């Protein structure tokens, strides 16, 4: 595949004196000089306001480049998130010590690719296709150029020209070595091109006033921006988060550089895609279709940043009110699903992150949407108002949360039983996380890695390493249904089911009793036969697993623990399993895991597990549960008799 630069140049030259090539006569004297400058001129609207001096100098490619540089240094009509006129007012806030270290390393050609790995030396003559680890994510993310962003921040923060000089040398080097062809596909996946496209507009703000941003650097830089936007115009990964990054990169270039002849076309197409994709990718309940919190948050940013840049520049007319409302609905999702300390449920390709990680987001959203509940979370309850519910059902996505309150020690259970969200989703319907007392007591397994280690990626995706039912330890299908959502003042009840295997449906009823502990009723019904396992996993640490009483519990010396206590049945056994959990990319650690197994014989209608899952702070709770009567497995409901501190109460559900 011929790269855009070469294709356009040859097209320009081939037209000869036959007519007009991309905005100025092909007989123009500029074509006798620098092919780079000539190509750039062919890509500009030379009659655009402010370019008269550029047009007048077109016979001299050096003068053209100098006039273009003067134009861009003095031209301030385009607004950007990075305001060059304000850079001196916030120097103390611009670069972190990590930014400075990353920038200094990059000057020595010691680069960060995928951030879970250490920096690697890419050679004195930089090898942009370097693959120091088996994981392709390294070379792909290497070519997203996050270290250039660090160099830009370091330049504004310190004023040291070495950062601008190093960046200028590197972008000239990268551009010359990475034409858009199959040999360099590591650099030209559309996701990388989209990320770079948006990043290039920020780098332009950082470096345009530097002496190292010479006329020749400008010509190379602008030609590369055109190449990126032109390439992205022909790429549309419909229905994928990639499409959002593609559109963002194209839109940022189009808005920042309206002098490009195709800028209006790129801009309108990018806006059209985003408006379409927010309908395609966002469920009515606000959750992004991949059902992984990191990609959900990323999608909010991609949808929002392009709109914001358009609004800053008065070109946001293409975005309907429904677009903004959809973004607001998306912002409600972490409010509804994240644990009381602000960590994420790790469903699919997601990681828990750190406590309080969303506070800044919630503050921004509170101001943007005038939401006191967002402000409450942003301020740890010091401002705003508490959200108006403690139980939420995102029924289109199959994500449900039950919590006891809004303080950091509240009990929180988040359950997933949703549709197939694609590559970043896992076959884990019915699984849940349990948090209490400031601790995630039963975190989801996570994903560990994307590429370079297919065995471990497959291990973390297994249904049996999630808190749900399996048949013969096989992976389950996606076929979910919400049967009952009944939140209440004292008790919350959720009933979902998933046709997990041919001939076997898993129904899970969750009772949140007194907003204090949970009763799970798991029914596996249908004609399939085999070993039916009810799988559980604890947080890393010590645990007690008793094969006689069948009771399992965590055994932390301080803080909260959790008790898992099943109703014993003939033939039920407790089996200790291999347990691992990943809280960071490429990092994993062992943790207690176990299952309750019963055999489902051929011809039997089904079997039922009843399990107490009780978080507790100090004293081990004394609880017992029994089924009232003989309700049919997979039937229209059931009642449970729960005994707590000598008192028995009845709780149950009935399906309409």
């Amino acid at each position: 595949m011929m790269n855009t630069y070469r294709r356009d140049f040859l097209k320009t030259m081939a037209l000869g004196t036959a007519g007009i090539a991309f905005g100025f006569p092909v007989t123009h004297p500029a074509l006798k000089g620098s092919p780079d400058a000539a190509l750039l001129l062919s890509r500009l609207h030379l009659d655009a306001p402010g370019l008269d001096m550029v047009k007048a100098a077109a016979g001299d490619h050096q003068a053209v480049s100098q006039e273009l540089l003067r134009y861009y240094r003095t031209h301030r009509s385009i607004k950007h998130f990075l305001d060059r006129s304000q850079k001196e007012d916030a120097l103390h806030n611009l670069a972190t010590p990590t930014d400075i270290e990353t920038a200094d390393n990059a000057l020595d050609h010691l680069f960060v690719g995928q951030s879970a790995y250490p920096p690697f030396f890419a050679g004195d003559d930089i090898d942009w296709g370097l693959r120091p680890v088996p994981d392709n994510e390294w070379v792909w993310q290497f070519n997203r150029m996050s270290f250039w962003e660090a160099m830009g921040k370091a330049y504004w923060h310190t004023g040291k020209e070495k950062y601008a000089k190093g960046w200028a040398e590197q972008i000239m080097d990268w551009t010359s070595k990475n034409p858009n062809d199959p040999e360099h596909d590591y650099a030209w996946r559309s996701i990388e091109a989209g990320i770079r496209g948006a990043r290039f507009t920020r780098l332009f703000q950082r470096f345009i006033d530097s002496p190292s941003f010479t006329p020749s650097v400008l010509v190379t830089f602008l030609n590369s921006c055109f190449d990126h936007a032109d390439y992205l115009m022909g790429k549309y990964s419909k229905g994928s988060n990639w499409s959002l990054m593609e559109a963002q990169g194209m839109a940022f270039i189009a808005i920042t550089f309206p002098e490009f002849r195709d800028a209006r076309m790129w801009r309108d197409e990018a806006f059209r895609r985003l408006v379409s994709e927010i309908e395609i990718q966002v469920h009515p309940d606000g959750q992004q279709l991949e059902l992984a919190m990191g990609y959900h948050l990323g999608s909010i940013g991609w949808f929002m940043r392009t709109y914001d840049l358009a609004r800053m520049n008065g070109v946001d007319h293409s975005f309907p009110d429904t677009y903004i409302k959809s973004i607001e609905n998306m912002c409600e999702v972490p409010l509804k699903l994240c644990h009381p300390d602000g960590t994420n449920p790790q469903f699919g390709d997601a990681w828990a992150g750190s406590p309080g990680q969303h506070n800044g987001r919630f503050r921004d959203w509170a101001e943007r949407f005038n939401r006191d509940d967002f402000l409450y979370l942003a301020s740890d309850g010091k401002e705003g108002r508490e959200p108006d519910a403690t139980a939420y059902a995102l029924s289109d996505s199959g994500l449900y949360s039950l919590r006891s309150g809004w303080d950091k020690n509240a009990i929180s259970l988040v359950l997933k039983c949703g549709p197939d969200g694609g590559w970043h989703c896992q076959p884990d319907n019915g699984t849940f996380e349990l948090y209490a007392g400031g601790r995630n007591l039963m975190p989801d397994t996570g994903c560990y890695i994307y590429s370079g280690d297919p065995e471990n990626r497959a291990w973390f995706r297994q249904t049996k390493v999630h808190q749900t039912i399996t048949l013969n330890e096989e992976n389950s299908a996606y076929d979910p249904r919400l049967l009952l959502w009944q939140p209440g003042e004292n008790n919350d009840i959720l009933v979902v089911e998933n046709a997990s295997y041919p001939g076997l449906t898993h129904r899970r009823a969750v009772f949140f009793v007194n907003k204090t502990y949970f009763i799970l009723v798991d029914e596996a019904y249908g004609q399939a036969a085999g070993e039916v396992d009810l799988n559980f996993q604890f947080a890393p640490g010590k645990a007690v697993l008793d094969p006689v009483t069948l009771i399992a519990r965590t055994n932390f010396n301080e803080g909260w623990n959790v008790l898992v206590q099943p109703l014993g049945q003939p033939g039920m056994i407790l089996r200790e399993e291999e347990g691992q959990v990943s809280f960071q990319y490429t990092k994993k650690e062992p943790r207690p895991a176990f299952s309750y197994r019963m055999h489902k014989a051929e011809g039997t209608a089904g079997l039922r597990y009843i399990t107490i899952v009780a978080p507790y702070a100090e004293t081990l709770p004394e609880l017992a549960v029994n089924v009232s009567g003989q309700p049919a497995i997979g039937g229209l409901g059931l009642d449970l008799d729960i005994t707590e501190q000598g008192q028995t109460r009845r709780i149950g559900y009935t399906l309409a």
Side-chain angles (χ1 to χ4, degrees):
M1 178 176 59
M2 186 178 295
N3 69 76
T4 305
Y5 176 101
R6 182 68 176 161
R7 184 184 66 235
D8 282 3
F9 180 63
L10 290 179
K11 184 177 181 181
T12 303
M13 299 302 290
L15 287 173
T17 59
I20 303 300
F22 309 130
F24 71 97
V26 295
T27 55
H28 205 287
L31 295 179
K32 298 177 182 178
S34 164
D36 290 352
L39 179 62
L40 180 58
L41 280 175
S42 76
R43 293 170 159 183
L44 299 175
H45 286 298
L46 292 180
D47 291 327
L51 290 183
D52 49 319
M53 296 298 291
V54 176
K55 185 176 181 179
D60 181 343
H61 68 263
Q62 291 185 346
V64 164
S65 303
Q66 291 168 350
E67 286 299 331
L68 271 174
L69 184 58
R70 181 197 59 78
Y71 167 79
Y72 279 114
R73 283 179 173 167
T74 57
H75 184 62
R76 298 296 179 101
S77 64
I78 300 301
K79 304 295 192 297
H80 199 276
F81 303 118
L82 291 175
D83 186 345
R84 289 156 52 205
S85 67
Q86 300 296 318
K87 67 179 181 181
E88 300 297 333
D89 296 340
L91 284 178
H92 61 286
N93 277 330
L94 295 176
T96 66
T98 299
D99 291 328
I100 299 295
E101 180 183 10
T102 299
D104 287 339
N105 282 342
L107 292 178
D108 294 330
H109 300 182
L110 193 63
F111 294 111
V112 175
Q114 212 293 335
S115 60
Y117 300 99
F120 288 95
F121 181 59
D124 293 323
D125 182 17
I126 300 172
D127 176 8
W128 297 104
L130 181 68
R131 298 174 187 265
V133 295
D135 189 349
N136 285 330
E137 287 292 326
W138 197 95
V139 69
W140 291 331
Q141 295 195 33
F142 178 33
N143 282 274
R144 296 176 190 177
M145 315 310 194
S146 62
F147 44 86
W148 284 357
E149 200 105 50
M151 292 165 78
K153 292 178 181 179
Y155 180 55
W156 272 22
H157 187 90
T158 67
K160 293 181 179 179
E161 190 62 24
K162 65 178 182 178
Y163 296 114
K165 181 175 182 293
W167 171 79
E169 291 171 350
Q170 288 182 20
I171 195 166
M172 296 288 278
D173 187 68
W174 184 89
T175 303
S176 68
K177 291 178 179 176
N178 286 281
N180 188 354
D181 59 25
E183 183 181 349
H184 301 88
D185 59 358
Y186 59 81
W188 284 98
R189 294 195 313 169
S190 60
I191 183 175
E192 274 69 57
I195 290 170
R196 281 197 307 269
R199 178 161 281 151
F200 276 14
T201 68
R202 296 192 293 271
L203 296 170
F204 181 80
Q205 307 301 320
R206 298 283 192 191
F207 293 121
I208 184 61
D209 298 316
S210 161
S212 298
F213 205 125
T214 63
S216 61
V217 171
L218 177 67
V219 169
T220 297
F221 176 82
L222 290 176
N223 273 325
S224 187
C225 285
F226 189 99
D227 289 344
H228 277 73
D230 187 54
Y231 169 65
L232 292 167
M233 183 70 183
K235 291 286 184 180
Y236 183 10
S237 304
K238 187 174 183 179
S240 164
N241 68 67
W242 284 34
S243 69
L244 311 185
M245 287 171 272
E246 293 162 359
Q248 178 180 265
M250 186 162 55
F252 270 52
I253 291 171
I255 294 171
T256 305
F257 303 110
E259 302 81 10
F260 283 132
R261 65 160 200 258
D262 292 338
R264 179 66 179 269
M265 177 180 66
W266 297 334
R267 188 193 79 191
D268 291 350
E269 175 61 12
F271 292 175
R272 186 196 69 79
R273 292 181 190 180
L274 289 169
V275 171
S276 176
E277 287 300 314
I278 209 164
E279 295 292 329
I280 294 170
Q281 292 196 40
V282 181
H283 291 298
D285 57 29
Q287 172 68 51
Q288 196 263 352
L289 59 82
E290 290 167 292
L291 309 186
M293 185 61 75
Y295 290 93
H296 177 85
L297 294 167
S299 297
I300 292 174
W302 297 316
F303 283 125
M304 190 179 286
R305 281 189 295 272
T306 301
Y307 168 78
D308 284 347
L309 188 63
R311 185 179 57 176
M312 290 172 65
N313 289 280
V315 293
D316 56 328
H317 53 273
S318 297
F319 295 94
D321 291 342
T322 53
Y323 184 87
I324 309 307
K325 182 58 180 176
S326 291
I327 294 177
E328 183 178 357
N329 289 343
M330 294 181 76
C331 295
E332 291 181 357
V333 169
L335 177 151
K336 295 174 178 178
L337 297 185
C338 287
H339 293 301
D341 65 349
T343 53
N344 303 323
Q346 294 200 140
F347 302 141
D349 288 344
W351 287 267
S354 56
Q357 62 190 326
H358 303 310
N359 286 19
R361 292 187 180 97
F362 281 124
R363 186 165 293 278
D364 173 61
W365 300 339
E367 295 173 1
R368 182 183 295 268
F369 300 114
N370 192 28
R371 293 282 296 262
D372 285 343
D373 50 353
F374 288 161
L375 182 59
Y376 182 89
L377 295 183
S379 64
D380 292 329
K382 299 180 181 66
E383 303 173 68
R385 63 170 176 80
E386 188 176 283
D388 57 7
T390 57
Y392 296 98
L394 280 63
S395 55
D396 301 294
S397 307
L399 295 164
Y400 309 90
S401 67
L402 311 170
R403 60 196 298 160
S404 62
W406 288 97
D407 62 280
K408 294 294 177 62
N409 288 323
I411 299 169
S412 166
L413 183 144
V414 185
L415 182 143
K416 173 176 176 281
C417 188
D420 185 352
W423 196 77
H424 291 296
C425 196
Q426 295 177 351
D428 56 3
N429 273 350
T431 195
F432 66 89
E433 286 197 347
L434 174 63
Y435 170 106
R439 173 178 285 154
N440 194 333
L441 293 161
M442 303 177 77
D444 189 81
T445 301
C447 87
Y448 179 61
I449 202 166
Y450 284 2
S451 69
D453 189 348
E455 181 179 348
N456 268 299
R457 178 160 178 83
W459 190 95
F460 277 82
R461 292 179 62 79
Q462 296 176 100
T463 304
K464 72 176 186 178
V465 303
H466 296 88
Q467 299 187 133
T468 189
I469 271 183
T470 51
L471 175 65
N472 298 324
E473 301 187 343
E474 295 175 357
N475 287 344
S476 63
Y478 299 95
D479 193 359
R481 282 205 304 160
L482 171 63
L483 301 182
L484 179 66
W485 172 248
Q486 187 177 302
E489 183 176 350
N490 297 314
N491 306 308
D492 298 327
I493 303 173
L494 167 66
V495 185
V496 295
E497 68 179 25
N498 190 64
S500 300
Y501 303 95
L504 192 77
T505 294
H506 172 206
R507 177 182 295 181
R508 169 162 277 177
V510 180
F511 298 89
F512 191 14
V513 184
N514 289 335
K515 306 294 177 77
T516 303
Y517 59 89
F518 301 89
I519 307 293
L520 306 183
V521 180
D522 290 287
E523 296 176 336
Y525 67 92
Q527 295 305 307
E531 306 301 331
V532 177
D533 293 334
L534 176 59
N535 305 281
F536 292 106
Q537 301 86 32
F538 288 149
K542 296 179 180 178
V544 176
L545 307 179
D546 189 335
V548 177
T549 64
L550 304 179
I551 289 175
R553 61 182 175 85
T554 59
N555 196 24
F556 296 108
N557 293 328
E558 297 180 353
W560 284 57
N561 283 282
V562 63
L563 166 73
V564 176
Q565 178 181 317
L567 175 63
Q569 301 178 58
M572 181 191 295
I573 60 172
L574 185 154
R575 306 169 70 245
E576 187 170 357
E577 306 281 6
E578 179 186 7
Q580 298 184 83
V581 64
S582 175
F583 295 115
Q584 298 180 56
Y585 191 81
T586 73
K587 305 291 191 301
K588 61 179 179 176
E589 56 186 302
R591 49 109 164 244
F594 58 99
S595 66
Y596 297 109
R597 171 169 288 185
M598 288 195 289
H599 180 75
K600 184 177 181 301
E602 191 168 347
T604 57
L607 52 79
R608 176 188 291 133
Y609 289 97
I610 300 176
T611 314
I612 297 168
V613 178
Y616 62 97
E618 295 177 358
T619 306
L620 192 68
E622 295 183 8
L623 298 166
V625 61
N626 285 287
V627 180
S628 176
Q630 294 181 322
I633 294 173
L636 293 178
L638 54 73
D639 290 315
L640 301 175
D641 291 327
I642 303 170
T643 302
E644 180 180 357
Q645 296 180 338
Q647 300 294 316
T648 299
R649 58 178 301 183
R650 179 163 291 178
I651 190 170
Y653 73 86
T654 300
L655 303 178

